[in-house]
Every structure is written in C-alpha cells, then in structure tokens.
Amino acid sequence: MSLTPEIISLLILDAIFLFFGIIAFAIGFRIALKWDSHATTPLQYTLSKQSYLVSTIIKYIFMLKLPLFLFFIYTCDKLSTIITGAMCASGVVNSVDFGLYLTLFKLLNLYLFGFWLLLHYADINDEKLPFTQLKFVLFVLFSVPLFVEIGLEIAFFAGLNISKIVSCCGTLFSASSSSYISLLFAVDASLWVWFFYGFFGMIMLAFWLKNMSLMIFANGMFLLFSIITLIVFFSPYVYELPTHRCPFCLLQRDYYFVGYALYTLLFAGTFYGIGGGVLALVSHKAQPHFMRASLVLNALYLLILTSYPVVYFIRNGVWL
C-alpha cells in the first residue's frame, strides 16, 4: 500500500463511516422490526428517540460522502503522476481489477442515500411520520452496498501498486481496447446521440404529462446515454482532439475543470428526476419542484455539452 495524505484521509473516514454505519445499522434494524406508530409504550418512545439519532448519523454520512466522491477522483488523478502509464484518474482506477466497480458503487450509494434523505424529509414533515418504518427498512437494505463500497475502497488502496505499468486513458477509451468499452465504438456514434437527445425529449414529455413512471425511466436512460455519448461523441470536441475520449480528463485544469460542472448537473438532474419520481409514487403526492429541478439541470447539462461541437464547427468548419 502506498500512503499519501489523501489516501490516509480517505481510509480514516472509511473507518469512521464503518463504525457509525454499524451502529446505525443495528439500531435501524431494530426500528424496522419493532416500529408501531400507534403504540404508546416505553419501547416506542425509545425507538422514536433512536430514530432521530440514526437519521442524524445517516445525514452526516451522506453530507460527507458527496464531496468525498469528488475527492476520491481527485486523489486518483493525483496518484496518476506516480503510476507508470497512467495519465489521469482512469488509469489509476483501472490499475486494480475492481476499481471501476468501486466507482460505480460510490455513484450508486449517492443515489440511494440521496433518495433516503428525500424520504426522510417527507417523513419528518408529516406529523403522522408515515414513512419511518419504510425508511429504516430501506436503510438496512442500502447499508449492504455502503459496506461493500467501504470494503472495496480499503482493498483498492491496499492493492494499489505504483510500480505496476497501467494503460493510459487513450488506450482504455478507444475502439482498439480489449475491454467492453470498445463495444461502444462498434455502433455508429450518431445512434447514441439520437438516443441522448431522444431521452431528454422524453423527460420534457414526462414533465408535461406529470407522469412519474415515465420521468423515472427517462432520467435513468438519459443518465446512461449521457455517459455513453460523452465518451463516444462529445469528449473529442471538449479536448479538440479526435482520439481523446476520456471522461476523467474533463476534471483536469487543462480543460478548466469543466467535468465538475458537467457531472454535478447530470447527477443532480437525474437524481431529482428519479428520486423525486419514486418519492411521488411512494407518497402518492406530486413532487413538481423535483421534476422542475430535474428538467432545468438536465437541460443545462445538454446545452453546455451541445455547445462544444457547435462552437467547434463554427470555428473550424468541420466535424470531428
């Protein structure tokens, strides 16, 4: 294991998350089993107080994990300077077999715990506390990917070998790659782009119809095809280089850190669409402010990304 101040910080926070996560899991499991909102027993009174404690723990774990996701990418990006062959965070992430899975678990947990917070606020803002038992059942289920992520992150940094030669992002994100990413390039890029704009159109349609199920589906597909088109089509226009398609290099200073703005808009926009839609279905109440936020944030993401090929064509008169 190579220890840098960033890695030590992440590992210490992992230990803290694991400690408080286990406490929250044990108490949350008890609340999920024994909660009865109609009871007036001493046990129910104790569970009510403990539910506030666990909710506070979960809130602070999420509030820390949100910036820590970006800090993890920053740490990997910084480590690329000492790992042979790596040019950015993608080389470091892929230097360990399960590095990509770790990144996906981090994203998954942000969505899951973000939704948990939406449900929590809907619960505490209703005097009947209608979702208390449900939210602790969900927390028990969501704890599994959280503990998996912590375990993978510790194993990731423990297995990081700075003397190992890794592939650069130019090799990983290309048609010549032997990984599944190369399959993306076997399909005409214009098809991915049509899907990208098509699913954004579906989000607009869902917002107009106030159809929550369609909103959830459209946002899920928009997230998927946004990442695909970013790799296959849009990134060369950001880099102004037809062979450079790495989604991690967008986070570097050379490209004005535009990746931070793009990913924040995309993840927040799709989160409000999916999480707000699920909350509307669970609570049987429309959530127009979440739908509106989803539409605006996704539209901003689409406009910023679209501006790159348009500006490039105006300046150069050709498409990449």
Side-chain angles (χ1 to χ4, degrees):
M1 179 186 292
S2 301
L3 292 177
T4 66
E6 292 83 6
I7 293 177
I8 293 172
S9 301
L10 286 169
L11 291 176
I12 290 174
L13 286 169
D14 278 338
I16 294 173
F17 290 157
L18 188 61
F19 175 72
F20 284 103
I22 290 173
I23 293 175
F25 176 84
I27 300 175
F29 187 75
R30 185 170 180 240
I31 296 172
L33 279 181
K34 300 186 177 179
W35 180 267
D36 182 0
S37 58
H38 301 293
T40 56
T41 61
L43 173 62
Q44 180 63 21
Y45 179 68
T46 302
L47 293 178
S48 297
K49 292 193 295 183
Q50 289 179 340
S51 71
Y52 284 102
L53 170 66
V54 176
S55 299
T56 303
I57 291 174
I58 299 170
K59 276 196 295 185
Y60 278 97
I61 287 178
F62 178 79
M63 288 171 64
L64 284 172
K65 286 194 70 62
L66 198 59
L68 278 176
F69 174 71
L70 298 177
F71 187 68
F72 170 76
I73 300 298
Y74 165 80
T75 300
C76 290
D77 206 38
K78 192 173 181 181
L79 288 171
S80 67
T81 59
I82 59 173
I83 294 183
T84 308
M87 295 179 66
C88 66
S90 67
V92 179
V93 168
N94 285 284
S95 67
V96 178
D97 292 340
F98 51 84
L100 181 60
Y101 298 112
L102 170 60
T103 309
L104 293 177
F105 265 105
K106 284 181 173 292
L107 275 175
L108 174 66
N109 285 327
L110 288 181
Y111 276 81
L112 292 179
F113 281 90
F115 171 70
W116 192 93
L117 284 180
L118 291 184
L119 188 64
H120 170 66
Y121 285 116
D123 185 50
I124 61 174
N125 286 321
D126 190 320
E127 59 182 11
K128 296 181 180 177
L129 300 175
F131 307 119
T132 300
Q133 190 167 32
L134 174 63
K135 72 183 183 185
F136 283 104
V137 170
L138 290 177
F139 172 67
V140 170
L141 296 175
F142 295 169
S143 296
V144 176
L146 174 66
F147 293 146
V148 170
E149 179 202 322
I150 293 172
L152 284 177
E153 184 158 276
I154 294 171
F156 175 79
F157 287 122
L160 207 57
N161 184 359
I162 61 172
S163 60
K164 178 183 176 182
I165 300 176
V166 302
S167 298
C168 70
C169 57
T171 304
L172 292 169
F173 298 98
S174 71
S176 60
S177 169
S178 59
S179 70
Y180 53 86
I181 294 176
S182 63
L183 298 176
L184 299 177
F185 299 96
V187 180
D188 186 9
S190 61
L191 181 63
W192 298 125
V193 175
W194 276 111
F195 277 122
F196 170 69
Y197 287 104
F199 281 112
F200 178 75
M202 192 177 289
I203 292 174
M204 296 176 66
L205 178 65
F207 179 77
W208 183 60
L209 295 175
K210 308 300 180 192
N211 187 313
M212 297 302 111
S213 298
L214 186 60
M215 179 64 84
I216 296 168
F217 174 75
N219 270 280
M221 291 295 102
F222 183 71
L223 173 62
L224 175 65
F225 286 100
S226 292
I227 294 172
I228 292 175
T229 51
L230 187 62
I231 296 171
V232 174
F233 180 77
F234 288 108
S235 55
Y237 289 100
V238 179
Y239 303 130
E240 299 189 344
L241 191 66
T243 57
H244 196 177
R245 302 173 186 276
C246 176
F248 289 92
C249 287
L250 295 170
L251 302 166
Q252 294 186 336
R253 180 190 299 273
D254 295 342
Y255 307 103
Y256 307 106
F257 306 107
V258 68
Y260 288 99
L262 288 174
Y263 290 131
T264 299
L265 289 172
L266 176 63
F267 294 144
T270 53
F271 167 74
Y272 281 125
I274 298 171
V278 174
L279 181 62
L281 294 177
V282 171
S283 63
H284 304 292
K285 291 180 182 177
Q287 304 290 339
H289 49 300
F290 290 136
M291 303 301 105
R292 200 176 302 117
S294 172
L295 184 64
V296 170
L297 294 171
N298 285 331
L300 284 174
Y301 173 81
L302 181 143
L303 287 174
I304 293 174
L305 212 51
T306 302
S307 68
Y308 279 97
V310 172
V311 170
Y312 184 88
F313 182 78
I314 293 173
R315 289 171 55 190
N316 300 284
V318 295
W319 301 104
L320 288 175

